[in-house]
């Protein structure tokens, strides 16, 4: 195989965010841009002999082109085999499964997750390690350092591979295997859940609606819900993967999953609605005109895990990201298992799962998952709910309300202020950082501040420390306000305000979370001076 070494110059902006490098497609299309980042990944890894790479993406615009480039570079950098999902398609959880199942030397996943796709939208790339999970900070930092000093990259001079035809192409020194993107993942799910019970539910009048948002879960949903579980074809919507996700924003929340939300809150509301994002790792769960917060979803899955075959022996522990509500903490306390609070980002859960400390994890950002893979998993969460409903034979709303009656309710909401000029967003955060010490002990309306900090985490497995992970204002009654800058946006900065109030007395709770959290919102805006600094008077997204 002929290998070409190509001279290049470093770009200065290749710092991976919460989940890899995400930029506009036009940025990735600059000569050498993708290649520099891929070479920086390979330069960071010491590729062992006989190393195999998993490769796939969410099917967005530029996916196929990027895959051809990466195959050539993997071959030139010593990989003996590249396993690629058919058509270049692999959902993030399916890629994680393939890395683990085939014991590959990690994988490259091409996705900008829930960000829109298309020629003038976003693209992304991340490296997952051999455990199937996102690379830890020490690796992503090293990739960034390498990207700043790179001088050349290596590419094999080979023809493009036909990504649509299953089978192996043996090139001199490197084989490329195109595998079915869906089958292995569907088998994994079938082995974990009570498919007979779910099939009985879905074929017996229970109305189910799943929205793939024109993104990667479409083919997975067809294989699992239609072919294996017998759901009627009209249970699925937006299940053809398109390069621009149908022109939509594939983020499964109440704002962006509006097609589904309209149905679930309409006259013909199904019993259950769910959506997943661009790369299939996020999920939103809905009942009839009823929204389940991701934090509640995690707590309810944990409390009912014993009803699911994969967890019938029990769960060893749980973890949530810091801004996620404390609902799952209450379940863990009752079960007598550990509950870990980590910074935002799925990578922090990997160590805990590898060390056997936790079974289930979740984040307020519509991510839930377990140790079956090392990524959050949208369809897995949907199957958890279907399995629980099939056993309990209760509606989503009834299950949630019974949970609140038992544990109390962590009333929760997140307000996002998107596309703020970075300097202004930094000013908001800097102001909070400088002032929070002075608020301790002070009263604001009905709330008194107990403590404030900038969240720091010390990993209990490897001792690594992560600082500045979000500003917390903790009140004496257990309520919280958290401020954090998003690590996944590509337009300016996004400030997220997370609001949580604990209501132990479910009989008196306000059903409307926004109403219940109104005073906390006012306090958050007052303390941060966000409106004056940014000029943005309303959040762009409320979940
Ligand atoms: C990524 C990470 C998640 C994290 C989220 C936070 O999600 O995988 O673990 O919770 O980012 O996003 P932000 O920094 O914008 O709040 P995804 O689905 O984009 O890969």
């Amino acid at each position: 195989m002929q290998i070409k070494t190509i001279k290049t110059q470093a770009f200065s902006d290749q710092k991976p965010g919460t989940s890899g490098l995400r930029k506009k497609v036009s940025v990735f299309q600059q000569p050498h841009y993708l290649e520099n980042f891929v070479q920086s990944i390979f330069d960071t890894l010491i590729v062992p002999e006989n190393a195999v790479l998993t490769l796939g993406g969410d099917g967005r615009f530029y996916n196929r082109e990027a895959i051809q480039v990466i195959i050539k570079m993997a071959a030139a950098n010593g990989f003996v085999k590249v396993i690629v999902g058919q058509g270049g398609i692999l959902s993030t959880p399916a890629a994680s499964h393939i890395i683990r199942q085939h014991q590959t030397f990690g994988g490259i996943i091409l996705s900008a997750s829930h960000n829109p796709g298309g020629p003038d939208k976003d693209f992304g790339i991340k490296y997952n390690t051999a455990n199937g999970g996102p690379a830890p900070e020490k690796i992503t930092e090293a990739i960034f350092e390498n990207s700043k000093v790179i001088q050349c990259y290596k590419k094999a001079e080979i023809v493009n591979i036909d990504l649509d035809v299953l089978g192996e192409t043996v090139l001199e020194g490197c084989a490329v295997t195109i595998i079915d993107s869906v089958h292995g993942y569907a088998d994994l799910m079938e082995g974990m859940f009570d498919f007979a019970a779910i099939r009985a539910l879905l074929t017996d009048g229970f109305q189910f609606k799943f929205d793939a948002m024109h993104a990667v879960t479409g083919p997975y949903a067809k294989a699992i819900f239609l072919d294996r579980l017998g759901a009627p074809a009209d249970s699925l919507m937006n299940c053809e993967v398109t390069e621009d996700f149908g022109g939509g924003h594939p983020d499964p929340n109440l704002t962006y999953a509006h097609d589904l939300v309209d149905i679930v809150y309409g006259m013909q509301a199904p019993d259950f609605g769910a959506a997943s994002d661009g790369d299939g790792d996020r999920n939103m769960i809905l009942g009839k005109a009823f929204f389940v917060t991701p934090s509640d979803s995690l707590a309810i899955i944990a409390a009912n895990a014993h009803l699911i075959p994969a967890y019938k022996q029990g769960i060893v522990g749980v973890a949530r990201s810091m801004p996620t509500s404390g609902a799952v903490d209450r379940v863990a306390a009752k079960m007598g298992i550990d509950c870990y609070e980590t910074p935002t980002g799925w990578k922090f859960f990997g160590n805990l799962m590898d060390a056997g400390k936790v079974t289930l994890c979740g984040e307020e950002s519509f991510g839930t998952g377990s140790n079956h893979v090392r990524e959050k998993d949208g369809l897995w969460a949907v199957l958890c709910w279907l399995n629980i409903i099939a056993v309990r034979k209760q509606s989503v709303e009834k299950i949630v309300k019974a949970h609140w009656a038992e544990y109390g309710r962590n009333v929760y909401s997140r307000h996002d202020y998107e596309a703020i000029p970075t300097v202004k967003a930094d000013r908001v955060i800097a102001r909070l950082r400088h002032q929070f010490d002075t608020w301790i002990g002070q009263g604001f309306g009905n709330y008194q501040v107990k403590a404030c900090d900038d969240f720091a985490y010390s990993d209990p497995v490897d001792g690594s420390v992560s600082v500045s992970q979000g500003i917390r204002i903790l009140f004496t009654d257990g309520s919280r306000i958290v401020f954090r800058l998003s690590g996944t946006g590509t337009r300016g900065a996004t400030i997220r305000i997370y609001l949580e109030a604990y209501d132990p007395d479910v009989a008196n709770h306000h059903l409307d979370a926004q109403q219940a959290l109104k005073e906390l919102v006012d306090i958050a805006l007052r303390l941060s001076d966000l409106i004056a600094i940014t000029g943005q008077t309303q959040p762009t997204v409320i979940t």
Side-chain angles (χ1 to χ4, degrees):
M1 181 191 327
Q2 198 130 13
I3 293 173
K4 208 168 167 183
T5 301
I6 299 159
K7 281 213 169 102
T8 186
Q9 280 187 338
F11 296 87
S12 59
D13 65 342
Q14 298 196 316
K15 186 172 174 57
T18 316
S19 191
L21 183 69
R22 290 184 190 166
K23 299 280 177 196
K24 292 276 171 229
V25 166
S26 54
V27 173
F28 274 101
Q29 284 171 325
Q30 297 173 86
H32 311 308
Y33 192 89
L34 172 69
E35 288 86 346
N36 274 20
F37 191 71
V38 173
Q39 189 64 51
S40 302
I41 295 174
F42 293 151
D43 288 347
T44 303
L45 312 172
I46 299 162
V47 180
E49 269 188 29
N50 298 321
V52 179
L53 184 74
T54 298
L55 179 60
D58 62 10
R60 69 179 58 224
F61 186 83
Y62 203 54
N63 192 51
R64 284 174 176 265
E65 291 86 336
I67 284 181
Q68 299 292 355
V69 168
I70 296 167
I71 289 172
K72 291 176 182 144
M73 292 187 64
N77 279 277
F79 284 89
V80 296
K81 187 170 175 171
V82 186
I83 299 178
V84 188
Q86 191 175 20
I89 295 287
L90 282 180
S91 76
T92 288
S96 181
H97 175 56
I98 289 165
I99 293 170
R100 295 167 67 77
Q101 188 187 27
H102 294 264
Q103 299 183 345
T104 70
F105 188 64
I108 291 182
I109 303 175
L110 303 168
S111 171
S113 186
H114 52 289
N115 293 6
D120 56 350
K121 297 293 191 305
D122 295 347
F123 191 74
I125 172 169
K126 68 171 177 171
Y127 173 72
N128 277 29
T129 52
N131 76 344
E137 268 177 335
K138 62 176 187 298
I139 294 184
T140 55
E141 281 302 320
I143 293 171
F144 181 45
E145 291 308 315
N146 281 331
S147 78
K148 291 192 282 192
V149 296
I150 189 169
Q151 293 183 339
C152 59
Y153 59 85
K154 286 193 276 184
K155 217 175 198 178
E157 303 224 290
I158 49 178
V159 293
N160 279 353
I161 302 292
D162 186 341
L163 300 177
D164 297 309
V165 179
L166 293 177
E168 187 157 276
T169 307
V170 181
L171 307 160
E172 196 193 324
C174 181
V176 180
T177 308
I178 308 294
I179 60 160
D180 184 298
S181 311
V182 173
H183 197 80
Y185 175 82
D187 282 350
L188 175 69
M189 293 298 111
E190 189 158 2
M192 296 179 70
F193 294 97
D194 187 345
F195 266 35
I198 301 174
R199 188 180 302 112
L201 179 79
L202 296 182
T203 53
D204 192 26
F206 180 85
Q207 285 163 355
F208 161 72
K209 204 79 174 169
F210 176 77
D211 185 354
M213 303 188 82
H214 300 285
V216 79
T217 49
Y220 295 86
K222 284 183 198 163
I224 293 171
F225 298 124
L226 302 190
D227 302 346
R228 299 199 186 197
L229 290 168
D234 65 359
S235 307
L236 304 188
M237 56 196 280
N238 302 328
C239 276
E240 299 305 326
V241 188
T242 58
E243 288 195 328
D244 67 348
F245 304 134
H249 190 145
D251 196 357
N253 59 38
L254 292 173
T255 303
Y256 294 126
H258 40 77
D259 287 358
L260 176 71
V261 170
D262 288 349
I263 293 172
V264 163
Y265 284 85
M267 299 292 281
Q268 309 285 320
D271 297 299
F272 181 87
S276 191
D277 71 330
D279 62 332
D281 56 3
R282 297 185 174 206
N283 74 91
M284 175 170 67
I285 302 293
L286 299 162
K288 244 182 219 302
F290 191 88
F291 169 65
V292 186
T293 69
S295 301
D296 277 346
S297 178
L298 171 64
I300 290 165
I301 291 171
N304 291 278
H306 59 283
L307 304 178
I308 298 169
Y311 312 107
K312 67 172 188 290
Q313 310 296 350
I315 54 177
V316 293
V318 291
R320 64 164 172 85
S321 66
M322 179 274 284
T324 303
S325 96
V328 75
D329 304 34
R330 298 175 191 283
V331 175
K334 196 159 186 174
M335 291 171 108
I337 57 173
D338 287 334
C339 177
Y340 296 84
E341 184 178 38
T342 66
T344 294
W346 205 262
K347 57 191 168 204
F348 293 100
F349 297 140
N351 269 359
L352 298 172
M353 289 194 268
D354 287 348
K357 290 183 181 297
V358 301
T359 309
L360 303 178
C361 309
E363 295 187 280
E364 53 64 41
S365 54
F366 295 82
T368 339
S370 89
N371 57 1
H372 65 288
V373 288
R374 292 294 182 273
E375 286 279 4
K376 53 191 186 276
D377 190 344
L379 288 170
W380 168 91
V382 177
L383 288 164
C384 283
W385 272 89
L386 290 175
N387 200 143
I388 292 166
I389 293 168
V391 177
R392 287 184 55 157
K393 304 194 191 315
Q394 288 172 322
S395 70
V396 171
E397 183 169 346
K398 212 162 187 168
I399 290 171
V400 175
K401 287 189 171 164
H403 187 89
W404 290 343
E406 186 173 352
Y407 295 93
R409 179 184 179 195
N410 289 70
V411 186
Y412 189 83
S413 182
R414 187 179 97 185
H415 290 203
D416 297 337
Y417 292 78
E418 297 173 313
I420 294 176
T422 308
V423 259
K424 292 186 177 176
D426 288 345
R427 208 178 306 150
V428 172
I429 299 297
R431 178 192 153 88
L432 289 162
R433 243 178 223 139
H434 285 128
Q435 300 204 354
F436 66 59
D437 274 349
T438 64
W439 300 328
I440 299 169
Q442 277 198 52
F444 296 95
N446 291 313
Y447 295 91
Q448 194 183 2
V449 179
K450 186 170 122 196
C452 293
D453 66 4
D454 198 347
F455 182 65
Y457 177 69
S458 173
D459 188 301
V461 181
D462 66 15
S464 58
V465 174
S466 306
V467 297
S468 305
Q469 297 293 326
I471 289 153
R472 305 192 290 183
I473 306 173
L474 309 169
F475 298 97
T476 48
D477 69 345
S479 304
R480 299 192 302 171
I481 300 172
V482 174
F483 293 87
R484 200 186 138 259
L485 288 178
S486 157
T488 60
T490 54
R491 270 189 316 144
T494 297
I495 298 177
R496 304 203 192 284
I497 307 181
Y498 309 84
L499 305 138
E500 177 177 359
Y502 179 61
D503 181 354
D505 181 6
V506 100
N508 286 324
H509 71 245
H510 296 265
L511 254 188
D512 180 64
Q514 298 311 320
Q515 210 184 324
L517 296 168
K518 169 104 187 40
E519 194 178 348
L520 284 176
V521 172
D522 292 343
I523 296 170
L525 293 176
R526 185 173 142 200
L527 294 181
S528 62
D529 210 14
L530 182 143
I531 294 177
I533 296 173
T534 66
Q536 213 162 305
T537 53
Q538 297 288 333
T540 37
V541 177
I542 294 183
T543 44

